[in-house]
Amino acid sequence: MERTDSTLTEGYLEGQCLIAMPQMGDQRFDRAVIFLCAHSEEGAMGIIVNKPARNVSFVDLLTQLGVVDQEDAIRLPPAARNVAVHNGGPVETGRGFVLHTSDFVLKEATLVAGNDVCLTATVEILRAIAHGSGPSQALLALGYAGWAPGQLEAEIAGNGWLHCTADHALLFDPDADNKYERAVKKLGFDPRVLSSAAGHA
C-alpha cells in the first residue's frame, strides 16, 4: 500500500525516526534509532538503522539465498557491496527487509513510507541490487520493530522515545556508530545531557 507525505495522518509519525531514551529499560532498543515505516491506529512498524549485524555481509546473504553464486559474488557492483546489514528489530529476525530510496519501487511490493524512503521485503529487490539496477541507497534489515495499536503512543507519552525528522544521511550513512548522537542533535539536544527527565519532542 502506497503512502505519501501528503496523506500522513496528523499525530502519527510514519516517515520519522524514533530515538530511544536512556530510561527505555528494554536492552533490545538501547540507543536505538528507528525509522518508522508505518504508524496508524492499527499500530506501528519500523526498522532499527544503527545496529549493524555482526559477522554477516550483504554478499554473504545473496549467496546463501541463491540470488548470486560464488563466482558472480566477486563481480557485484559497488552499490551491492556497500549495502549494510542491520539488526532491524526483535520481530521476524529470520526475514529480510530492505529500507531504500524511492528511486526503486516494485508495484504492489514496496511500501512508500515518506521522506523519499521505501520498504521492500521481496527477493526481487535483492536481485535488482545484485545486478546494479536497484535503489541508489539501501540497507538490509534482519527483523523489525513492531507495536500493537496504541502501544507506541503510550511509550512516547511515558518518555520512552523522542522523535526527529528522517533524512537519507541519517538512514543510510555507513557510520552507524554515530547515528544516535546525530539524531539527538537534530532536536537541538546534547546527547550527553539526556536524562530521565527529558520529555518527548
Side-chain angles (χ1 to χ4, degrees):
M1 180 172 63
E2 275 198 21
R3 292 175 181 158
T4 63
D5 288 341
S6 61
T7 62
L8 295 183
T9 304
E10 185 176 348
Y12 293 115
L13 303 175
E14 181 177 301
Q16 295 197 42
C17 282
L18 294 177
I19 307 166
M21 290 289 282
Q23 72 273 23
M24 165 64 63
D26 189 333
Q27 289 301 309
R28 297 174 301 175
F29 298 117
D30 182 45
R31 293 175 59 84
V33 177
I34 301 177
F35 178 77
L36 277 180
C37 303
H39 186 202
S40 70
E41 62 184 12
E42 298 174 357
M45 179 267 185
I47 299 293
I48 300 175
V49 298
N50 67 329
K51 304 262 183 195
R54 309 298 177 190
N55 305 317
V56 62
S57 72
F58 186 67
V59 177
D60 292 337
L61 290 174
L62 289 180
T63 55
Q64 289 172 19
L65 294 170
V67 175
V68 298
D69 57 32
Q70 291 285 355
E71 187 174 319
D72 290 333
I74 62 173
R75 294 193 293 267
L76 287 175
R81 293 190 167 280
N82 293 332
V83 173
V85 181
H86 282 67
N87 293 314
V91 184
E92 291 193 58
T93 56
R95 187 176 174 198
F97 300 84
V98 180
L99 193 68
H100 59 93
T101 47
S102 60
D103 51 355
F104 179 91
V105 174
L106 290 173
K107 190 176 181 181
E108 298 184 5
T110 297
L111 172 69
V112 179
N115 291 322
D116 294 320
V117 181
C118 301
L119 184 75
T120 305
T122 64
V123 72
E124 283 79 11
I125 190 171
L126 301 182
R127 291 195 183 100
I129 292 171
H131 293 102
S133 58
S136 59
Q137 293 180 285
L139 67 81
L140 174 67
L142 300 175
Y144 67 91
W147 293 265
Q151 182 182 1
L152 179 57
E153 291 86 342
E155 291 179 6
I156 291 172
N159 292 330
W161 302 97
L162 296 168
H163 55 85
C164 70
T165 57
D167 59 61
H168 288 183
L170 184 62
L171 300 181
F172 302 115
D173 192 320
D175 183 10
D177 291 342
N178 291 317
K179 286 184 179 181
Y180 185 82
E181 286 77 10
R182 286 163 55 191
V184 173
K185 286 177 180 177
K186 284 171 73 80
L187 299 175
F189 294 118
D190 183 334
R192 295 172 297 182
V193 301
L194 270 186
S195 71
S196 60
H200 65 276

